[in-house]
Amino acid sequence: MDLHRMPAAEVDVSPDLVRRLLADQQPDLAHLPIEVMANGWDNVTYRVGDALVARLPRREVAARLVAHEQRWLPVLEPRLPLPVPVPVRVGQPDLGYPWPWSVVPFLPGQVASRNPPADPGDTAVRLGTFLAALHTPAAPDAPVNPYRGVPLAERHVTVAENLSIVGDLVDHRAAMRVWETALAAPRWDGAPAWVHGDLHPANILVHGGRVSGVIDFGDITSGDPATDLSVAWMLLPAESRDAFRNAYETAGQCAAGDEIWVRARGWALALSLAFLAHSADNPMMTEIGRHTITAVLA
């Protein structure tokens, strides 16, 4: 077993760089204190004063994802029942930094992976309703992500590779039974839907014990909404999943059916293996992977 570290940063997004970019492009913000908030696979985020967050790609592959957020979050936000970080400023490549970047509002709360919501039933309803509002037919020019929202068969090679990487951390036979069942489910045959693409507990905010916002829309795409429904295994206890399904199906426009939930469980398996295999230096993502694979195989 040789677990991998997170993808390496291609640019050092230091506090000094952020300060200089703000001074050069957003001078009215340059006097505000800044502090690092998170250093993820794709982006580094800095708190800027009390009300704002600077979000900067750390890898070239993430630069187009920031552009997707800048383009589509203002379109989607008005119909979503939970706050999302719509960019309020758009930064440009400069001062040796090669990619676009954003300033977004600071949304109160802590990520659910560190601050679990108090009431699973309330959480199930809030997330189910949110996803029902999001999973509407996507615009013809919506982003297409080759890794999320796609048919599960396109993830098969990666799932097998990640299962090999995690070794005896996971019951391979049990995992493959779940995966093969998900592969056998009918594919999504509806219109491509808007999909968050990365809806795990580190991208869900909790404030005052309740789910209060959804962040990090960099993987937003069009395709199979089962990708997002995998959150049922990532965050919710088994006894709350029916409430999640009921809230989603009652409020939604997507015809769900049993097959979408079979695929959602497959997505939960695939994502948990990715987190376990490639987060050796990120304990939070590793724990999300462990929790999810346990729920999927229970």
Side-chain angles (χ1 to χ4, degrees):
M1 182 173 63
D2 183 21
L3 300 181
H4 298 175
R5 297 169 65 86
M6 290 196 311
E10 296 166 12
V11 171
D12 178 20
V13 186
S14 66
D16 177 66
L17 174 62
V18 175
R19 174 74 66 198
R20 290 188 294 114
L21 285 169
L22 288 172
D24 185 65
Q25 298 186 29
Q26 310 291 338
D28 60 314
L29 306 180
H31 68 285
L32 296 172
I34 64 170
E35 60 177 321
V36 66
M37 291 182 63
N39 190 356
W41 281 23
D42 292 328
N43 300 284
V44 181
T45 55
Y46 279 86
R47 185 82 179 265
V48 180
D50 294 331
L52 298 171
V53 173
R55 180 168 162 81
L56 298 93
R58 64 195 286 274
R59 301 191 297 149
E60 183 177 8
V61 69
R64 69 177 183 274
L65 305 185
V66 165
H68 292 163
E69 291 179 325
Q70 293 169 348
R71 168 68 178 88
W72 291 109
L73 273 183
V75 175
L76 296 173
E77 185 271 340
R79 69 164 180 260
L80 299 177
L82 290 171
V84 299
V86 177
V88 294
R89 309 278 184 100
V90 173
Q92 303 299 328
D94 200 2
L95 304 176
Y97 182 75
W99 306 308
W101 51 283
S102 299
V103 177
V104 304
F106 172 76
L107 301 180
Q110 294 182 323
V111 293
S113 51
R114 293 197 177 109
N115 181 37
D119 183 343
D122 176 73
T123 301
V125 171
R126 290 171 78 83
L127 285 178
T129 304
F130 174 85
L131 287 177
L134 175 64
H135 291 168
T136 56
D141 55 341
V144 176
N145 187 314
Y147 308 110
R148 308 294 169 93
V150 297
L152 282 173
E154 297 182 20
R155 302 291 294 161
H156 181 68
V157 171
T158 302
V159 165
E161 290 173 350
N162 288 337
L163 196 56
S164 176
I165 291 170
V166 301
D168 59 6
L169 285 176
V170 172
D171 182 333
H172 286 218
R173 289 185 178 180
M176 288 308 298
R177 283 196 296 270
V178 171
W179 182 243
E180 288 167 1
T181 299
L183 286 178
R187 292 187 176 193
W188 173 250
D189 61 359
W194 283 113
V195 176
H196 178 283
D198 201 23
L199 192 65
H200 54 69
N203 286 333
I204 297 169
L205 295 178
V206 175
H207 186 61
R210 305 185 79 191
V211 170
S212 60
V214 175
I215 60 175
D216 194 351
F217 281 74
D219 281 312
I220 191 168
T221 186
S222 57
D224 183 359
T227 308
D228 288 346
L229 299 178
S230 62
V231 74
W233 287 265
M234 292 186 177
L235 184 61
L236 297 173
E239 59 270 20
S240 298
R241 292 182 200 136
D242 284 346
F244 174 72
R245 175 172 177 168
N246 183 64
Y248 179 77
E249 294 182 351
T250 300
Q253 298 181 30
C254 289
D258 290 342
E259 62 273 8
I260 198 172
W261 301 100
V262 175
R263 294 197 307 274
R265 190 181 182 200
W267 272 105
L269 174 72
L271 294 169
S272 68
L273 292 175
F275 296 157
L276 287 171
H278 300 284
S279 297
D281 54 342
N282 189 325
M284 181 171 67
M285 297 304 292
T286 297
E287 181 53 34
I288 292 173
R290 286 178 181 148
H291 172 87
T292 303
I293 194 68
T294 300
V296 165
L297 300 184

